[in-house]
Amino acid sequence: MVSICGEDYDINTTELSLSGKELTEIPEQVFLLKELTCLDLSYNSLVQLPDDIRKLTKLETLLLHHNDINMMLPIVYKLSSLLYLRELYLGYNNLKAIPHAVKYLSSLEVLSVPYNKITYLPMISLPNLSAFILSHNEIKSIEHTQHLHKLQYFYVDHNPITHIPSGIFQLEHLQSFVANNCEVKNIPSNISSCLDKLDRMEFYIHHNPLNDFSLKNEDNAQEIQKHYADIQTCSKILNKIRIQLWFSKYVIPNYYEVSDKICIGI
């Protein structure tokens, strides 16, 4: 048995929660539990991780949210030898950057860093990442996502993002994209050619200072009508993106006599 924070644990324990223990350091006895796959250190006062974290070679899930961590780079280097680490939670800390070195956490499937002070999203390659949570930070651009080939859930709400890159629609496995409460003014120019994908995913961008999303361009209008012949079906699909959409008589001429402008979904 191993005694940690006044409690005894079997040496073969696979899950350990030390959440809310007011820790400023991780008890050294934790690193005797070599079978750990999940370690919860949330709601403490940790500033960094010790080198001994490398001893937990079977670790798959590490929860570090609600601490006082202000640098991610040392953590990444210390965790890079953990080949089975799939989930890393670092929300509600004082992080200012995501280092390029995060690519060394090649088994990561979930990277959650909301409620920090991150200002920049670097170009990173995480081949297995399926969920990337960046909500409530200070990020202005999300251009560098093209190497996240397995990304399914991408949350960037409550950031000062002004532009959604067209590459978002080229992420083959993306199921949910959330950019609510940002500063987005324009929709990706290739949206009209991606309606089939929008029909299969959630795309939320409400509460943004969007310009009128105009489809007056003849090519766009024809693309819309080619995919969806009636306004009811088109409305259903486009309403999913939670934007203010105006159809003028250029777009769906058969309906202009009803109203010159039809507002769908805010």
Side-chain angles (χ1 to χ4, degrees):
M1 302 293 287
V2 177
S3 180
I4 304 173
C5 296
E7 296 187 33
D8 292 332
Y9 297 89
D10 188 279
I11 195 69
N12 294 314
T13 295
T14 59
E15 297 184 4
L16 175 64
S17 176
L18 297 177
S19 179
K21 298 290 187 180
E22 300 181 355
L23 300 176
T24 56
E25 296 180 348
I26 303 174
E28 60 183 20
Q29 292 85 354
V30 169
F31 307 112
L32 299 175
L33 304 178
K34 301 297 179 60
E35 300 297 317
L36 275 184
T37 61
C38 179
L39 177 58
D40 185 355
L41 296 166
S42 61
Y43 292 95
N44 283 294
S45 299
L46 301 175
V47 175
Q48 271 301 324
L49 295 180
D51 291 339
D52 282 345
I53 195 71
R54 296 185 175 100
K55 294 179 179 179
L56 303 179
T57 57
K58 296 185 178 181
L59 201 62
E60 297 178 5
T61 301
L62 180 58
L63 295 93
L64 290 165
H65 57 87
H66 291 88
N67 275 284
D68 296 322
I69 299 169
N70 56 23
M71 289 188 66
M72 190 172 173
L73 184 59
I75 289 178
V76 168
Y77 282 133
K78 291 171 185 177
L79 296 179
S80 61
S81 61
L82 303 184
L83 302 181
Y84 301 105
L85 188 66
R86 297 186 295 106
E87 300 181 17
L88 179 58
Y89 299 88
L90 280 162
Y92 294 88
N93 278 285
N94 296 307
L95 300 176
K96 296 178 176 61
I98 297 177
H100 288 85
V102 75
K103 66 183 180 181
Y104 296 121
L105 306 180
S106 58
S107 296
L108 269 190
E109 296 176 8
V110 176
L111 178 56
S112 179
V113 289
Y115 288 92
N116 278 286
K117 300 175 183 179
I118 298 168
T119 60
Y120 176 69
L121 179 61
M123 182 178 294
I124 54 178
S125 178
L126 290 170
N128 296 298
L129 195 69
S130 62
F132 199 3
I133 316 301
L134 289 158
S135 309
H136 291 270
N137 275 285
E138 300 172 14
I139 299 167
K140 296 182 179 180
S141 174
I142 53 171
E143 292 288 342
H144 305 306
T145 60
Q146 61 267 38
H147 299 298
L148 303 176
H149 300 299
K150 291 188 178 181
L151 196 61
Q152 298 180 44
Y153 305 96
F154 192 24
Y155 299 159
V156 294
D157 53 287
H158 295 86
N159 279 282
I161 297 165
T162 59
H163 172 69
I164 297 175
S166 58
I168 288 295
F169 297 115
Q170 296 168 5
L171 296 173
E172 181 180 357
H173 300 285
L174 193 63
Q175 297 180 22
S176 181
F177 176 76
V178 179
N180 301 332
N181 299 92
C182 294
E183 298 178 12
V184 177
K185 298 179 180 179
N186 295 296
I187 303 301
S189 59
N190 64 337
I191 194 171
S192 63
S193 63
C194 300
L195 293 180
D196 285 338
K197 184 169 182 62
L198 281 173
D199 191 20
R200 301 190 302 272
M201 67 178 285
E202 297 295 341
F203 187 80
Y204 297 109
I205 52 172
H206 56 265
H207 298 295
N208 276 281
L210 291 164
N211 296 326
D212 285 352
F213 179 47
S214 176
L215 291 175
K216 294 181 181 179
N217 178 279
E218 184 176 352
D219 291 338
N220 280 346
Q222 290 176 354
E223 188 72 29
I224 290 287
Q225 290 175 304
K226 182 173 69 175
H227 278 76
Y228 304 105
D230 63 280
I231 192 172
Q232 288 81 9
T233 306
C234 191
S235 300
K236 177 183 176 182
I237 302 304
L238 290 169
N239 187 49
K240 293 179 66 174
I241 65 177
R242 304 295 195 269
I243 64 172
Q244 183 174 331
L245 171 64
W246 299 97
F247 280 106
S248 72
K249 59 187 177 183
Y250 309 93
V251 178
I252 304 183
N254 294 334
Y255 289 87
Y256 78 89
E257 61 265 32
V258 177
S259 175
D260 283 345
K261 293 183 176 179
I262 302 174
C263 182
I264 302 171
I266 298 177

